[in-house]
Structure formats: C-alpha cells, structure tokens
Amino acid sequence: MNSPLSRVILVTLGGYLLILLFLSVYDWILEEYPRRPTEPTKSERIQHQLHHQEAIKALELFFCLPKSKKTAIKESLKSDLIPIKQWLERLRQSKVQILCMGEIHNESTRSFLSKEYYANFSADVNLQEATPRELNRLIKRMEAGRNYFPLLDADIMNILRAVRDRNPDVKFYGIEETDRQAKQGHGRSNSRDQSIAQNFWATFEPGMRHIILFGALHCTNESNWLFHDMCKQASPTLKDKMLNVWVLGEHQNGPVEAFVYFMDEIGVKKRHFVIPDTRSLPDHIYEWFPSLNRQTLERYRSLVVFRT
C-alpha cells in the first residue's frame, strides 16, 4: 500500500468521499434551512379575466333594478359581510367546538392567518396537516427560534408561534395520514380523508375548542372529504357545533375576485371581511354569481376573504 499507485488511489478515493460528504451536508442544509420563497407581487385589480365577465354582467343587472331594490341589496351586503374581528368575537361567544379552516397553501394565506386569525383567537387544540412525527419536528424548530420553515410549501413557524402565544397550554396534534395507514387503505376511495378523520377523533376532547388547518378541499361539505366524513360520524348535538370555513385572498379565486369587484363598484367597500353564513346573502347574489355559489358558497358555511 506504500506504492505510488496505491497512494494515488487512496487520495482519489478520499477526494470522492470528501465531495460526497460536502454534497450530503449541502443537501441537509438546503432541506433543514430552506430559503423563504419570493412570491410574485401582482397589483392588477383584475387578474381573472374569464370570471370578471360575471362581475360586469352582475353590475349591469344591479343598476337596472329600482332604487329601493338596489338600496336593499347594498344594506343587506353591508350587514352580511363583517370585519374579521367581529366574526372572531362571535366565535368566542359561540359553542363551536370544531372549526375546519380550509386554505390555499401559500405565504400570503399563512401570513394573514398568523397575524389576523391565530393571534386573535384562542383554541384548546390545534391540528395540522402533518403526521405526528413531522409536527413534532416542526414544533422543535419553532421552540428553537426558527423564523421560517415550510409545511406544504408555505411557512408554518409564525402560525405555530401565534397559536402558542395566544394559549401557552394549547395542544398540538398532527393528524395527517401516516404511511402505515396509507398502505392499509390502498385501493379505497379517498382513504386518506378517512384516515385523517380517524386520527382527529383519536385526539378529540369534548368541550374543548379544536381548530383544524388543512387544504381547502378537505374542509368542504362534499362527500368523501374530511369535514363531510366528520359530520357524518358526529352526534347531532356535536354536529351543530362544527363549522367549515374557507380562507383565501381576493385574487386567489376568480369567482371571489369578481364578487369583490362587484361590491367595490356598488359602494360596499370592505377590507378583510367574513361572510359568517354563506346562505344568508341576497338571492340575487346566488343568481348573478353562479360560479361563486357552486364553488364556494354551497361548499362552506363561512368564507373569509383577505385583501391585498
């Protein structure tokens, strides 16, 4: 092994090992300390041209109505759409025990939720779209003071921190389907949401307030999705204490953007707002905005819209 050839081979192998070690460390750093993504900022008022035509048509129909009817619609919308702080106060005074908060996984939504929702509303139990192991690692990062780490491509640190700051005794649970559950449910229709529902009930504490944060579809009232399954499994008394909500930005959804544009144009200008009961709007809204009704109002009991 003391020959020149042996030394060259050892040096070469050592070089390869150092390169592999460097690449492994680099990959670990990228995974453990990811960079916060920069979301493109769009300032255009109209970003969904196709759905904007619904707003234009609705405005034409609105302005053809008698003055008394127009006034009635405006006054109804002013009372039906309320500030988020007012909505949160109503929730505090309500008997709601389970809130399924549906979101689009991006930075703007998570930022809004951490600052406007979780920082101002307490829960006894917080449930995330992560497995128990994943959530435990996320909480350790949060406790270590990390400013940023993503869950499903968007920062979750500020939400976890806001939840705990609001209630230091809050319980965190990850209720995402585990690998073992996925293997057991292979081949069954939407077995993932069945597993998530099962995981939720394993953590449920009667009388406590639970907030579930998942992708929007999981919180719809449509068959085979999480919230629908949970309602089927809950007692009639508990079902009355369950609420599904969609949280989204005004430009994240074409029909919502069209509705917001319509409101601005008729003089019902709101900043962030909540529709606490999506079935309480004036009848004309459901007629004039069929896409909004079909995609959102029929699927969720409440709608939270934040504006940029």
Side-chain angles (χ1 to χ4, degrees):
M1 294 297 290
N2 291 325
S3 68
L5 178 60
S6 298
R7 287 195 292 271
V8 169
I9 292 173
L10 288 174
V11 169
T12 303
L13 288 175
Y16 280 130
L17 288 174
L18 284 174
I19 292 172
L20 288 174
L21 178 61
F22 172 79
L23 291 175
S24 298
V25 171
Y26 181 71
D27 289 342
W28 178 83
I29 291 173
L30 288 179
E31 181 179 349
E32 187 59 29
Y33 294 91
R35 294 181 180 179
R36 186 187 296 269
T38 302
E39 292 188 348
T41 302
K42 295 183 179 180
S43 59
E44 296 89 348
R45 188 182 177 197
I46 304 165
Q47 298 178 21
H48 300 270
Q49 288 290 343
L50 179 63
H51 292 286
H52 183 65
Q53 298 309 309
E54 280 193 2
I56 298 301
K57 185 176 179 180
L59 286 169
E60 292 174 354
L61 294 170
F62 174 80
F63 287 117
C64 287
L65 294 174
K67 183 178 179 180
S68 60
K69 188 64 176 179
K70 287 186 289 190
T71 300
I73 291 175
K74 289 176 64 174
E75 293 304 312
S76 178
L77 288 172
K78 286 178 182 179
S79 63
D80 292 335
L81 280 59
I82 63 176
I84 187 167
K85 287 186 177 180
Q86 184 179 343
W87 178 61
L88 292 178
E89 184 57 36
R90 288 187 186 180
L91 285 181
R92 272 189 285 271
Q93 296 176 11
S94 74
K95 296 181 179 180
V96 171
Q97 290 188 29
I98 302 172
L99 287 94
C100 193
M101 306 290 294
E103 65 156 5
I104 293 176
H105 308 305
N106 64 22
E107 295 297 331
S108 59
T109 302
R110 296 276 174 87
S111 177
F112 170 80
L113 284 169
S114 65
K115 295 175 183 177
E116 302 291 339
Y117 180 71
Y118 287 106
N120 298 302
F121 187 67
S122 297
D124 302 298
V125 184
N126 183 273
L127 304 111
Q128 294 288 335
E129 194 170 349
T131 64
R133 184 183 177 202
E134 290 170 340
L135 183 59
N136 184 52
R137 294 177 66 184
L138 289 169
I139 291 174
K140 286 182 178 178
R141 293 184 180 102
M142 182 264 292
E143 292 174 341
R146 295 283 289 275
N147 291 322
Y148 172 80
F149 198 87
L151 171 62
L152 300 171
D153 302 321
D155 179 54
I156 197 65
M157 293 292 103
N158 286 329
I159 283 183
L160 297 179
R161 192 168 287 115
V163 169
R164 181 168 284 178
D165 287 346
R166 185 72 187 182
N167 178 12
D169 298 320
V170 68
K171 296 179 181 179
F172 289 104
Y173 291 107
I175 58 171
E176 175 60 279
E177 180 182 53
T178 63
D179 291 340
R180 181 179 179 182
Q181 288 175 318
K183 291 177 182 178
Q184 292 174 342
H186 181 70
R188 289 186 307 176
S189 175
N190 218 359
S191 62
R192 180 188 171 200
D193 281 70
Q194 294 173 25
S195 296
I196 296 168
Q198 178 184 335
N199 296 340
F200 170 80
W201 292 119
T203 66
F204 177 68
E205 299 185 34
M208 299 290 101
R209 180 161 288 158
H210 304 67
I211 298 181
I212 304 168
L213 180 63
F214 262 69
L217 282 175
H218 298 284
C219 292
T220 68
N221 57 16
E222 295 187 333
S223 298
N224 294 323
W225 290 100
L226 173 63
F227 186 76
H228 179 270
D229 288 348
M230 288 169 55
C231 287
K232 285 174 59 178
Q233 297 159 1
S235 66
T237 302
L238 181 58
K239 186 177 178 180
D240 291 337
K241 299 176 183 177
M242 298 171 65
L243 178 66
N244 65 330
V245 184
W246 192 7
V247 182
L248 76 168
E250 64 174 304
H251 298 299
Q252 291 178 355
N253 177 275
V256 168
E257 179 187 88
F259 177 60
V260 172
Y261 181 92
F262 169 81
M263 290 195 306
D264 286 347
E265 290 299 301
I266 67 172
V268 184
K269 294 189 177 183
K270 302 273 185 176
R271 194 169 177 263
H272 308 322
F273 67 85
V274 182
I275 304 176
D277 184 355
T278 53
R279 304 317 299 166
S280 68
L281 299 175
D283 291 339
H284 283 303
I285 298 301
Y286 306 110
E287 299 169 9
W288 296 342
F289 295 94
S291 297
L292 177 70
N293 185 40
R294 184 175 60 255
Q295 296 181 19
T296 303
L297 303 180
E298 290 182 349
R299 291 180 168 186
Y300 302 89
R301 181 63 181 273
S302 299
L303 175 65
V304 178
V305 178
F306 62 92
R307 305 194 64 177
T308 54

